[in-house]
Amino acid sequence: MVRVRRRCPPKTHLANVKNVAAETGFYTITDDNGMPSTAIEHELSRLEGQGIDALRRIDETGMPPAVGTDDRELLCLYLAVQMARTPRKRTGPLFGRNVTAYANGREVDLELMTEYLTRKHLGHPPRAAEAQGAWDYYHGTRVMNGGNDPTHDEAVAVTLDSVQVCIPHYRARHWRLETSRKPIFLTSDAPLVLWRPETPEDAYRGFGLEGAHEIRFPVSPTAQLVLVPGHQPAARRRHAHPHPPLPRPALRTHGRALREDHQQRPRRRPEHRLGSRARRTPPRRTPLRRHHPNGPRHSPRPGPGPLPP
């Protein structure tokens, strides 16, 4: 049972997970006996319990786990699983099956692929290169799979196999804890956010773990982990070295990224990144100047000598 909050009216109630989940049986696979198995779901539930305990210790101590500790290795696995288990990751392996189901016996040519991308996958007309790439991907994966579309079990296996590949990327980064005086951090089904400064390549090219300047993950309403390139064995304690207040543009950036998708890039300038220690410099004010009717303009701090009569 879980406690669920509805938007209107703003009250909570107890409900079964199956009744409130966006999709039931998301990790259910077929075992060797041909029966449905929830072994993956139970294993993920165990990992989530251990990960929550590690996150609570971060919130209590005010510092990320040190390099080489059990909590550090556990959270590397936890973050990698969070990245791999999202429904968006599942759409890649199941793309061919979804196109075949939409075609419903029709030939999957370039025209039909454009129609599918417009009505189902993207929600808007694709560019010619996008339609051609999707068509090539569809037929290429079917040829490699003996003319068949990937099954549900294969899609689950493909997404979770990427976990071991991603763990070294988290392990090789420097971890820091950034805090806010107000509870502004939110979590979601896709809490991991990749960020880098806006570049002209964003118009035609995405980025992943290797190209991300920051990997952000909320720990509590007032703190978040930020993984940056580099490696430092020691972490600074929050009570000994307090972090500066977070810039407001960066807070909007993080919130927008969580609302849209963890793979969408918050587009802000580098100086607006979370954790930046740069302070705003007050605008320079021009000194007031006085004017005497019988003399020239002069500064409010005149030099030595008598003032004009």
Side-chain angles (χ1 to χ4, degrees):
M1 301 293 288
V2 294
R3 183 164 291 277
V4 183
R5 180 182 183 274
R6 299 296 184 185
R7 292 183 178 179
C8 186
K11 296 181 179 180
T12 60
H13 65 278
L14 289 175
N16 191 287
V17 176
K18 293 183 178 181
N19 297 331
V20 295
E23 181 178 346
T24 59
F26 193 71
Y27 299 104
T28 302
I29 60 175
T30 304
D31 60 15
D32 297 336
N33 299 323
M35 300 298 293
S37 173
T38 58
I40 295 179
E41 186 68 49
H42 290 297
E43 192 66 21
L44 292 176
S45 177
R46 183 184 65 84
L47 176 62
E48 286 182 350
Q50 296 175 348
I52 290 175
D53 291 338
L55 295 176
R56 286 173 178 169
R57 284 189 285 270
I58 293 177
D59 198 40
E60 293 172 356
T61 60
M63 60 186 297
V67 176
T69 59
D70 293 339
D71 279 358
R72 183 74 162 239
E73 292 299 310
L74 173 64
L75 287 178
C76 285
L77 174 61
Y78 184 81
L79 295 179
V81 171
Q82 292 293 330
M83 173 70 79
R85 66 181 299 183
T86 61
R88 185 182 180 91
K89 287 289 186 180
R90 188 75 62 83
T91 59
L94 292 180
F95 179 79
R97 193 181 73 168
N98 295 336
V99 172
T100 301
Y102 178 83
N104 195 21
R106 293 180 294 171
E107 179 185 0
V108 181
D109 53 12
L110 192 58
E111 181 179 356
L112 188 141
M113 181 60 69
T114 303
E115 177 184 328
Y116 172 78
L117 294 177
T118 303
R119 297 183 178 182
K120 296 293 184 180
H121 192 74
L122 297 177
H124 58 81
R127 292 176 294 182
E130 291 176 326
Q132 184 65 50
W135 186 87
D136 293 339
Y137 175 80
Y138 171 80
H139 289 284
T141 53
R142 285 177 62 88
V143 169
M144 291 187 294
N145 203 29
N148 301 316
D149 294 318
T151 64
H152 171 81
D153 290 6
E154 292 174 342
V156 174
V158 167
T159 53
L160 294 181
D161 284 346
S162 65
V163 170
Q164 295 299 325
V165 179
C166 295
I167 288 179
H169 292 280
Y170 303 107
R171 186 184 293 136
R173 286 177 174 253
H174 170 59
W175 294 29
R176 68 189 184 205
L177 187 67
E178 297 181 346
T179 60
S180 172
R181 296 176 181 175
K182 296 182 179 180
I184 47 78
F185 294 121
L186 303 176
T187 187
S188 67
D189 292 337
L192 211 62
V193 176
L194 307 183
W195 181 88
R196 76 171 181 185
E198 183 178 0
T199 65
E201 295 181 354
D202 295 339
Y204 60 88
R205 183 181 181 183
F207 66 95
L209 291 175
E210 293 183 354
H213 285 214
E214 294 181 357
I215 302 175
R216 305 169 180 171
F217 186 83
V219 174
S220 71
T222 58
Q224 70 168 351
L225 278 174
V226 179
L227 282 61
V228 297
H231 185 75
Q232 296 182 10
R236 295 182 177 178
R237 293 180 179 273
R238 179 171 52 184
H239 61 269
H241 301 275
H243 292 279
L246 299 176
R248 295 304 304 175
L251 304 185
R252 293 196 295 269
T253 294
H254 186 86
R256 183 182 65 180
L258 287 175
R259 289 194 300 271
E260 294 176 352
D261 193 329
H262 76 284
Q263 293 178 327
Q264 296 292 330
R265 298 171 296 282
R267 303 192 176 188
R268 294 288 179 186
R269 298 191 298 270
E271 60 267 25
H272 287 163
R273 291 182 300 173
L274 292 174
S276 175
R277 294 184 178 272
R279 298 180 178 179
R280 289 186 176 181
T281 303
R284 185 185 299 273
R285 295 184 178 181
T286 304
L288 296 176
R289 303 180 68 87
R290 294 181 297 175
H291 177 65
H292 194 277
N294 298 324
R297 294 179 182 269
H298 57 277
S299 170
R301 295 182 179 180
L307 292 175

